[in-house]
């Protein structure tokens, strides 16, 4: 009877069928029932025993899930009662949304349903349209119906930033938010329109953001902020809530990803306000993507084709192999994230042979269509399970969703394959060095590649751990080097750059453990490997 375990584990209750597969040393014959269980009387004693055992195990799993779900409901009710009366109603709405997400997670965890890899198709040219095929701009009428939303909930902890990441100075003394405001204000002035700027913050960045935007009150721009949901972390082992009270430490809570955008727009009333103001289109992007500016050709394409949802994608490079991609699955467009990929297909996902594009998270949404979808029951976005370790070493889980996953809920939704210039995120100090360099210049809040750059591509920059935190990065560069003719830069170890340094071609600087390298003022390095005490090797 040992083979019965393999049989039970390969049953497929989520498909509504039972497929009995047993591998035994003696090839025991068995029957298949693809649509229902045959009566016990028609089975062999062996098959009947197997079926009874399977039913007991299934019932036990269902009872276990029900017990966790009931316990979670009790804990959520207690959390709501501990909330301050002023915010209790809004907090209760958030906990109701979390409860639905948690219940879906438990159900999916029990059924263990995975994507059928063989049914995944790459989108065709009608599903992902090249940017060059978009119409030329015929006017600015559509701009009057546009609103711009920036996802502004990140802290930038990986770069050693304690407050809102969007407050980091990135170019010529200006922050992410400064540049975003300049971009929108320029459009309003130039086209005589009123494009509002909306900032979706998290509980980590909301207060910082409110403080920062006060300096823009005299400018030609309307700024609205709203706070996305705050969900409780759950323990990995028991799946129970980490916080016991609504006021518990921030470390026990998390913002549930940018997929929370849609429910938060509804719950905060921002969606209805946009419609009342006559807005029909919403451009959504991450605040740290400096290439995500309003593009009138994409907006006009949306108007002309009556598309309800557009996702900007761009071609993959080696640096983007983990990025989500667009696929066709079950006759609809889907966003596939690496967390959803079966472990034995991760290498396939990272390959550019089948998946040549990735999601930039620049999204264009028809606001009326969004209200229709939300009023019709909302969206069940694919759940991304994000495991974390707390400061005290406890394994916890964050249940998150991605905004791009909403593409399957909209009519005539498709992708636009945009130039790489529309994807310039600053996720590390290596990215920051590129943005601050003379590769780019600024005009009206937009980055433009310098005319002095001979190639259309940007150099590859890899700074080691000594440059990981923003404070270390700034202390190691007296001034950002001239890299207009740079192809590749790798720096590891304790390295410091003087003023007026020029880097060309391929430059590699390696300071071994216990060594320090100082690149002197005015030094020119071209196709050089620098190691030890300024030992130079021509590459």
């Amino acid at each position: 009877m040992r083979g019965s375990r393999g049989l039970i584990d390969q049953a497929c209750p989520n498909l509504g069928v039972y497929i009995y597969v047993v591998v035994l040393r003696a090839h025991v014959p068995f029957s298949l029932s693809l649509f229902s269980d045959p009566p016990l009387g028609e089975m062999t004693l062996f098959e009947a025993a197997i079926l009874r055992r399977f039913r007991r195990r299934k019932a036990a799993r269902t009872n276990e899930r029900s017990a966790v779900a009931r316990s979670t409901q009790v804990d959520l009710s207690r959390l709501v009662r501990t909330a301050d009366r002023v915010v209790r109603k809004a907090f209760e709405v958030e906990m109701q949304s979390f409860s639905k997400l948690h219940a879906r997670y438990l159900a999916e965890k029990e059924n263990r349903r995975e994507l059928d890899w063989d049914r995944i198709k790459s989108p065709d040219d009608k599903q992902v349209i090249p940017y060059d095929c978009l119409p030329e701009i015929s006017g600015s009428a559509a701009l009057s119906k546009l609103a711009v939303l920036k996802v502004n909930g990140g802290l930038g902890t990986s770069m050693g930033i304690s407050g809102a990441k969007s407050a980091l100075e990135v170019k010529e003394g200006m922050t992410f938010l400064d540049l975003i405001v300049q971009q929108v204000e320029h459009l309003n002035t130039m086209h005589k329109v009123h494009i509002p700027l909306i900032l979706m913050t998290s509980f980590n960045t909301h207060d910082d953001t409110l403080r920062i935007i006060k300096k823009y009150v005299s400018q030609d721009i309307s700024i609205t902020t709203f706070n996305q949901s705050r969900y409780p972390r759950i323990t990995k082992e028991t799946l129970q809530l980490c916080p016991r009270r609504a006021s518990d430490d921030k470390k026990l809570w998390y913002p549930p990803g940018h997929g929370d955008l849609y429910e938060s727009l509804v719950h905060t009333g921002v969606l209805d306000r946009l419609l009342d103001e006559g807005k029909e289109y919403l451009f959504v992007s991450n605040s740290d993507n400096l290439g995500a500016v309003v593009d009138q050709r994409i907006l006009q394409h949306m108007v002309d084709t009556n598309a309800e949802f557009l996702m900007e994608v761009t071609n993959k490079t080696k640096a983007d192999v983990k990025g989500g991609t667009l696929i066709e699955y079950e006759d609809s467009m889907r966003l596939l994230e690496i967390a959803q990929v079966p472990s034995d297909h991760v290498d396939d996902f990272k390959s550019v042979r089948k998946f040549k594009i990735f999601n930039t998270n620049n999204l264009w949404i028809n606001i009326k269509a969004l209200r229709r979808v939300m009023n019709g029951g909302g969206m069940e976005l694919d759940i991304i399970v994000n495991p974390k370790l707390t400061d005290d070493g406890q394994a916890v889980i964050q249940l998150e969703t991605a905004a791009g996953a909403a593409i399957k809920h909209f009519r005539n939704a498709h992708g636009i394959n945009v130039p790489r210039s529309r994807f310039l995120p600053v996720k590390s100090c290596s990215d920051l060095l590129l943005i601050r360099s003379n590769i780019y210049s600024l005009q009206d809040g937009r980055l433009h590649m310098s005319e002095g750059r001979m190639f259309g591509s940007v150099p590859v920059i890899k700074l080691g751990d000594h440059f990981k935190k923003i404070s270390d990065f700034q202390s190691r560069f007296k001034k950002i080097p001239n890299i207009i003719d740079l192809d590749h830069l790798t720096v590891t170890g304790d390295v410091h750059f003087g003023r007026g340094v020029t880097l060309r071609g391929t430059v590699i600087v390696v300071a071994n453990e216990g060594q320090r390298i100082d690149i002197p003022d005015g030094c020119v390095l071209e196709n050089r490997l620098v190691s030890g005490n300024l030992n130079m090797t021509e590459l």
Side-chain angles (χ1 to χ4, degrees), residues 508-521:
I508 301 172
V509 185
V510 180
N512 296 324
E513 187 71 30
Q515 295 178 325
R516 169 173 169 150
I517 293 178
D518 289 274
I519 307 298
D521 294 352

Side-chain angles (χ1 to χ4, degrees), residues 463-469 472-473 476 492-495 511 513:
L463 301 179
D465 289 344
H466 285 73
F467 294 80
K468 189 174 182 179
K469 304 299 184 184
D472 294 329
F473 170 85
R476 292 176 181 276
T492 60
D494 187 7
V495 180
E513 187 71 30

Side-chain angles (χ1 to χ4, degrees), residues 19-20 35 61 71 114 126 151 183 203 225 236 241 244 269 273 278 316 335 356 358 412 422 429 447 451 485 508 526:
I19 302 175
Y20 303 120
F35 300 101
R61 286 198 302 267
S71 175
E114 289 187 338
K126 293 182 180 179
V151 178
Q183 294 164 16
F203 63 87
T225 64
K236 184 177 181 179
L241 310 185
R244 313 306 293 175
R273 194 184 318 161
K316 269 187 180 181
L335 175 65
K356 298 178 174 64
F358 72 98
N412 194 22
R422 292 192 57 75
C429 289
L447 291 176
E451 294 180 358
D485 295 317
I508 301 172
E526 181 172 2

Side-chain angles (χ1 to χ4, degrees), residues 132-153:
D132 290 341
C133 295
L134 299 187
E136 293 300 327
I137 303 169
S138 58
S140 57
L143 286 175
S144 64
K145 299 178 181 180
L146 179 69
V148 172
L149 186 147
K150 295 292 181 178
V151 178
N152 192 54

Side-chain angles (χ1 to χ4, degrees), residues 164-379:
K165 184 179 179 181
S166 57
L168 173 67
E169 290 186 3
V170 286
K171 189 74 173 175
E172 297 178 9
M174 285 184 281
T175 67
F176 287 104
L177 280 179
D178 291 338
L179 298 180
I180 291 166
V181 168
Q182 273 195 16
Q183 294 164 16
V184 177
E185 186 180 31
H186 173 71
L187 286 171
N188 286 339
T189 303
M190 183 176 179
H191 298 282
K192 295 181 173 56
V193 292
H194 177 69
I195 300 173
L197 173 61
I198 304 159
L199 302 174
M200 184 175 82
T201 62
S202 69
F203 63 87
N204 288 318
T205 63
H206 191 66
D207 291 342
D208 266 356
T209 303
L210 290 178
R211 175 180 53 79
I212 294 166
I213 64 175
K214 289 179 181 177
K215 67 178 180 178
Y216 307 124
V217 291
S218 61
Q219 295 178 243
D220 183 22
I221 187 170
S222 167
I223 302 178
T224 298
T225 64
F226 71 93
N227 212 349
Q228 75 169 114
S229 302
R230 180 183 68 145
Y231 283 179
R233 284 176 160 179
I234 57 177
T235 60
K236 184 177 181 179
E237 185 176 347
T238 65
L239 303 182
Q240 295 300 313
L241 310 185
C242 291
R244 313 306 293 175
R245 300 183 60 83
S247 59
D248 277 355
D249 193 279
K250 284 184 177 182
K251 295 177 182 178
L252 302 178
W253 306 82
Y254 70 99
H258 39 63
D260 179 59
L261 163 70
Y262 308 108
E263 292 217 11
S264 292
L265 279 171
V266 173
H267 295 160
T268 58
V270 173
L271 184 64
D272 286 337
R273 194 184 318 161
L274 289 174
L275 289 167
D276 291 343
E277 293 174 359
K279 303 304 177 185
E280 297 182 24
Y281 308 103
L282 185 64
F283 174 46
V284 178
S285 61
N286 296 340
S287 63
D288 66 355
N289 180 6
L290 294 173
V293 298
V294 171
D295 188 293
Q296 289 181 257
R297 291 180 67 182
I298 298 177
L299 177 59
Q300 192 60 51
H301 171 78
M302 188 173 203
V303 174
D304 294 345
T305 60
N306 292 316
E308 292 185 348
F309 191 103
L310 296 177
M311 176 187 291
E312 293 185 38
V313 297
T314 195
N315 293 337
K316 269 187 180 181
T317 67
K318 288 183 179 180
D320 314 308
V321 292
K322 294 183 179 180
T325 189
L326 269 183
I327 61 171
E328 182 186 343
Y329 190 77
E330 296 181 344
D331 298 322
S332 68
M333 295 293 288
R334 302 281 186 93
L335 175 65
L336 177 64
E337 298 280 4
I338 193 168
Q340 300 167 275
V341 176
S343 57
D344 53 338
H345 288 290
V346 169
D347 288 340
D348 296 335
F349 176 82
K350 292 180 178 180
S351 170
V352 296
R353 292 191 199 95
K354 184 171 184 177
F355 304 110
K356 298 178 174 64
I357 56 174
F358 72 98
N359 171 29
T360 66
N361 213 43
N362 299 346
L363 309 173
W364 299 76
I365 304 165
N366 182 299
I367 300 175
K368 291 180 179 178
L370 176 57
R371 181 165 68 174
R372 183 197 71 233
V373 171
M374 298 307 290
N375 286 348
M379 310 177 191

Side-chain angles (χ1 to χ4, degrees), residues 423-482:
F423 184 68
L424 289 174
V426 179
K427 302 294 184 185
S428 67
C429 289
S430 297
D431 298 329
L432 186 60
L433 174 59
L434 178 66
I435 299 301
R436 287 188 177 180
S437 75
N438 58 342
I439 292 284
Y440 292 106
S441 60
L442 269 179
Q443 184 178 359
D444 302 318
R446 297 183 178 218
L447 291 176
H448 298 271
M449 187 174 290
S450 171
E451 294 180 358
R453 178 74 176 170
M454 292 180 63
F455 306 101
S457 60
V458 297
V460 175
I461 298 177
K462 298 179 180 179
L463 301 179
D465 289 344
H466 285 73
F467 294 80
K468 189 174 182 179
K469 304 299 184 184
I470 187 66
S471 57
D472 294 329
F473 170 85
Q474 291 173 334
S475 69
R476 292 176 181 276
F477 287 102
K478 287 184 181 178
K479 188 176 181 182
I480 300 299
N482 174 356

